[in-house]
Amino acid sequence: MIAINSKGVVVDSSLSAENLMIGWNAGHEGLHTVVQNVAKTGIPAEERLIFHDNIKLWISALKIDNLVYVTSRDTTLSDQVTDALLKSRILLKELLDGAVDLAFEVDQNREILFVTPAKAFGLETDLWIGESADTIFWSNVERPTRNPLSVKSAQTFDAVQIKILGTEERRWVKIVSRPYKNNDGSITVRGTMVDTSAQVRRERMMRAMNLRFKVQERITNILNTAQTAPDLMGRASKALLEVLRADSVWLLEKLGRDLVVRASESEDVLPIKSSVILSEAAKFPDQNLIKINHADQVYLLIQIKRGEEISGFFIVGRDTIGSPWSAQETELVESITNVLTAAFEKSTMISQLQKLSSEDALTGLLNRGALEQSVDDRLVQAKGKSCCGVLLFIDLDNFKEVNDTLGHNAGDDAIRYVADFIKAMIRPSDIAGRYGGDEFIIWLEASNVAAGSKRANELIAAMPAIRKKLGNTNLKLSASVGICACENIENRSFEHLANLADAALYNVKKSGKGSIAIANENQGGDTETV
């Protein structure tokens, strides 16, 4: 192997690269052309070239960073051997012993007539005479579509996978085959077999490295150019989808004990429950990549951590019955976990900065614009879920009395006290904001009417304590709450849910205040007062 920089200078070479060095320094046209093309396009290339003294080399060139790496294998002798096949079986044996791993001849039924050397791949080959070559060479593995043992013209087959009967290991071989017409008119096929497993594995490793560098470069570019958290995570998820030839990718953020979908490249809802994901992650805390079996499919679970704590997960799915995950794919995923983590962390940082700029100055809750956007984002990610959350529309009753009796500063205190109770009441996955004046909205993630009613009644029950903190227990300050669950709601938008909850709230106001009402779209906007 030799390594060549952009100036055409060999900066490194192996001890066995003498012929390559001679050819390069002598200005070998074919070698220079291959290197220049690879350097320019970045596309790996292979070529068979003839060098000084009629030496034949099979070269492979690959660009990594700013260097072009060239590897070679001397095929001079094997080519001579292939030519000798046409002359005589005796000459074939003399030339092949020690030059190739196997030489063979098969009849029209692909039964072995001749094989040399007497021992190959750790087995006695004499026992193969008269046996089916298909059975010997492809034991318990699928034969190639173009069978190298049934050729009508001279052909070379590279990287053919075989499994020799009686061995456990699968190998890759290069097979050179030629048909031969015997004196009696029969047609046989003669050929040679060279074990290229080590070379194939090296080439695959280099291709995997190249792919990993490209994926890392792509996600790094996303990190540098994305302006918003949804854009960053959406593009990172899409890149993962394309690289792994997946059907679906979901990005989940861990908020407290809950998992919330942050981005999704799928038409479907994530079929695996959050409890199952967290349970599997707890079993393998030291693994970046976990496989989860669900409904006859295998999903890749990529853990994103901040120190020892889990921040979130990428979940990747596809039809693994027809296309199971390969070792190369799982290795690729494990190798790019660091850049996926960086993307997630930057997304979180952007979200935190946006939240700081979106806070209501008085309460520290989200302001109206940020509240609407945050809830709408959750509704979009919920997709086809039958129930994804509950919206609570809260209005403080008799708030004007506080301002008129105790002054506007006391009114501000009342709003802050209510906001502080809301912050303590909700979970990390929930959303709360000040809608305006003395109105608040809470979004309870992955919740239902029963849970929403419980939270609303907790707030109503807290109002006497808030009146006491204001210094006047005789105040009539209370709270009314309209509740709207998105279950069975066709138009899933913040505006529509808020309007329905507001309509329910209006009914509470008319019926005496200090209570809750549940909106029901299917009853023409009617509400149920509780």
Side-chain angles (χ1 to χ4, degrees), residues 485-498:
C486 71
E487 184 176 16
N488 301 321
I489 300 294
E490 293 185 6
N491 179 9
R492 293 188 178 182
S493 67
F494 173 87
E495 182 179 6
H496 186 60
L497 295 178

Side-chain angles (χ1 to χ4, degrees), residues 2-5 34-35 38-39 61-64 66-70:
I2 61 174
I4 304 167
N5 65 17
V34 170
V35 171
V38 171
L62 174 69
K63 183 179 180 181
I64 300 177
N66 293 321
L67 297 177
V68 175
Y69 292 86
V70 182

Side-chain angles (χ1 to χ4, degrees), residues 112-153:
I112 297 176
L113 302 175
F114 165 77
V115 62
T116 190
K119 188 172 183 177
F121 305 112
L123 299 172
E124 301 294 334
T125 60
D126 290 344
L127 301 176
W128 298 352
I129 302 298
E131 299 293 332
S132 167
D134 290 340
T135 301
I136 297 296
F137 297 145
W138 290 284
S139 170
N140 298 324
V141 296
E142 186 177 355
R143 295 197 305 271
T145 303
R146 294 172 56 231
N147 196 313
L149 309 181
S150 297
V151 296
K152 294 184 179 180
S153 61

Side-chain angles (χ1 to χ4, degrees), residues 262-465:
R262 284 275 303 278
S264 172
E265 285 294 322
S266 174
E267 295 297 325
D268 302 318
V269 177
L270 177 63
I272 309 174
K273 293 182 179 180
S274 297
S275 58
V276 174
I277 295 172
L278 292 172
S279 175
E280 289 297 314
K283 294 178 184 177
F284 307 98
D286 298 326
Q287 295 186 21
N288 293 328
L289 180 63
I290 302 170
K291 291 183 179 179
I292 294 183
N293 292 292
H294 179 80
D296 297 325
Q297 300 293 333
V298 179
Y299 293 82
L300 297 184
L301 174 64
I302 306 167
Q303 297 199 68
I304 305 298
K305 292 185 176 182
R306 183 184 294 112
E308 296 298 322
E309 296 295 323
I310 295 175
S311 301
F313 303 92
F314 281 96
I315 313 290
V316 188
R318 75 177 183 208
D319 178 11
T320 51
I321 295 177
S323 180
W325 301 111
S326 67
Q328 290 80 7
E329 288 172 325
T330 55
E331 288 172 6
L332 171 64
V333 171
E334 289 183 329
S335 69
I336 62 172
T337 300
N338 59 332
V339 291
L340 292 175
T341 300
F344 185 90
E345 289 298 325
K346 182 174 180 180
S347 169
T348 302
M349 181 182 67
I350 293 174
S351 297
Q352 291 172 343
L353 291 174
Q354 289 174 335
K355 181 179 179 181
L356 290 173
S357 65
S358 304
E359 284 185 356
D360 173 66
L362 179 62
T363 64
L365 298 175
L366 293 178
N367 60 33
R368 179 167 179 167
L371 176 67
E372 292 183 11
Q373 184 62 54
S374 297
V375 175
D376 274 332
D377 287 343
R378 293 287 179 87
L379 291 169
V380 168
Q381 293 299 339
K383 298 185 185 294
K385 286 186 178 179
S386 59
C387 182
C388 61
V390 177
L391 187 141
L392 278 57
F393 200 128
I394 302 162
D395 182 64
L396 300 184
D397 305 319
N398 307 307
F399 181 73
K400 186 174 182 298
E401 180 192 21
V402 177
N403 287 328
D404 293 344
T405 304
L406 303 176
H408 288 285
N409 288 337
D412 288 348
D413 288 340
I415 290 174
R416 277 195 292 266
Y417 294 153
V418 171
D420 289 342
F421 184 84
I422 290 173
K423 292 176 187 176
M425 179 179 67
I426 63 175
R427 303 165 298 174
S429 57
D430 299 330
I431 299 171
R434 185 183 180 194
Y435 194 62
D438 59 346
E439 295 176 331
F440 301 85
I441 282 182
I442 300 174
W443 170 260
L444 299 176
E445 179 72 19
S447 194
N448 52 34
V449 169
S453 300
K454 180 181 179 181
R455 293 287 185 271
N457 283 319
E458 288 174 357
L459 175 60
I460 292 172
M463 295 309 296

Side-chain angles (χ1 to χ4, degrees), residues 50-102:
I50 300 176
F51 286 73
H52 58 282
D53 298 329
N54 205 32
I55 292 174
K56 297 179 181 179
L57 299 182
W58 181 268
I59 69 164
S60 299
L62 174 69
K63 183 179 180 181
I64 300 177
D65 294 331
N66 293 321
L67 297 177
V68 175
Y69 292 86
V70 182
T71 61
S72 70
R73 186 170 66 85
D74 191 335
T75 63
T76 307
L77 184 56
S78 61
D79 288 344
Q80 292 173 353
V81 167
T82 302
D83 293 337
L85 284 173
L86 298 176
K87 297 179 181 179
S88 74
R89 195 174 291 177
I90 296 176
L91 180 59
L92 170 67
K93 181 172 178 59
E94 291 176 350
L95 290 174
L96 287 182
D97 281 350
V100 296
D101 293 292
L102 196 72

